Amino acid sequence: MPVEFLGIAGTNPASEVTTRPGGALDLEYTAKLARAHEDNGWDRILFAYHSGSPDPAQVAAYVAGKTERINLVVAHRPNVAYPTLTAKTFATLDHLSGGRFEVHVITGGSTADQAAEGDFLSKDDRYGRTREFIQILKQAWTSEERFDFAGQHYQFEQFLADIKPLQQPRPRISFGGSSAAAYAVGAAEADIFALWGEPLAGTREQLATIEAEAVRAGRSDRPTIQIAFRPILAPTEELAWEKAESILGRIKDVQGGAQPAHARLRSRSNPENAGSQRLLKAVAEGERHDRALWTGPTGLTGGGGNSTALVGTPDTVAAALLDYYDLGIRIFSARGYDIYDDAIDFGRYVIPLVRSEIAHRESRKDLAS
């Protein structure tokens, strides 16, 4: 089965190791980074969401005009726009991009960041809203008849979108989370279920839970599984681990500096979301796991989001990804610390190795059948 690679569509060069040199939206850098992914074998790029960030849908529309092939995955929180409006907005974006749009629906793991935009629902209620939101998107994108919706969070009558997505039957919808409520919603509704990079044992455990929830929801299929890592590459193992240690130092340097106002709500020593709590559990069990997984940055950042790394030569990191492929993962999300340079290096040196080995395995299966 084919494998896909998802990168990040940053709007400025900032990362955990690099302070932001200017404003939040550097259009020249945004286009350059998107083209770096497109030119180096990536399939998709994610336009992330934060309460104060540039609007990802508009940035994606801009990038659509600067690229030709790569899929544009727009992160979206249900609390910020009514689903009927969102359906029209994203159908329009699908046309503007020539059928390259996808959406990543974010329920919201930080009460503070949700409150910053007027959302005061409890966590479980947010997941209930997400379920309804995804259901409405699907129907709005595919229905040829007016329809009503009467849920706990959304109610409307006789809606029909005059614009449908260019993609048929509709764009893919991805979703992430690691709580019981998240597993239930994502397994029932999502096309793609996104996980953060855990040790193989923890990932295997999550896959079994998603499988069970999909069966409980009456699905005959399971969502495609996506997993996220931070690659740290070098020509030798020794140099890769030296680079990893230097990244820890750079993270500490940035953390020791003045925190800009836009980042202050992001720093949490006790994360609320289950995904970060799971990552911190992996930290407590040790810094190195399996073939190449490293949790050093995870501990420093308080389990913040995509923070576990794969460290080693391109061969080692590719082999580690294939270990996850063998579990059933089919989409790999990767974002380096030096975002632009790492996107190029990962695309040039790791993606071809993974694709080649999978193609080799598939050809052997064909010969054996």
Side-chain angles (χ1 to χ4, degrees), residues 8-13 24-26 29-31 33-34 37 46-48 59 339:
I8 191 71
T11 59
N12 61 75
L25 181 57
D26 179 339
Y29 176 84
T30 300
L33 180 61
H37 284 88
L46 172 68
F47 297 80
V59 177
I339 297 174

Side-chain angles (χ1 to χ4, degrees), residues 226-304:
Q226 172 183 304
I227 197 165
F229 297 106
R230 307 299 290 271
I232 300 176
L233 304 173
T236 68
E237 298 295 324
E238 181 180 9
L239 288 173
W241 284 104
E242 287 179 7
K243 183 177 178 181
E245 291 299 327
S246 75
I247 284 171
L248 280 189
R250 293 171 67 192
I251 292 173
K252 291 175 183 176
D253 288 343
V254 170
Q255 288 179 337
Q259 286 283 315
H262 67 85
R264 287 173 194 151
L265 275 178
R266 302 186 190 211
S267 299
R268 301 192 64 88
S269 57
N270 298 303
E272 302 167 58
N273 68 85
S276 291
Q277 292 166 11
R278 290 181 64 95
L279 294 185
L280 289 178
K281 181 176 179 289
V283 172
E285 294 169 353
E287 280 203 352
R288 297 194 188 189
H289 300 262
D290 305 321
R291 190 188 300 266
L293 187 71
W294 183 50
T295 64
T298 310
L300 272 185
T301 58

Side-chain angles (χ1 to χ4, degrees), residues 30-49:
T30 300
K32 183 176 80 166
L33 180 61
R35 287 194 294 264
H37 284 88
E38 182 166 81
D39 293 343
N40 288 281
W42 298 77
D43 302 286
R44 310 155 75 227
I45 48 175
L46 172 68
F47 297 80
Y49 191 96

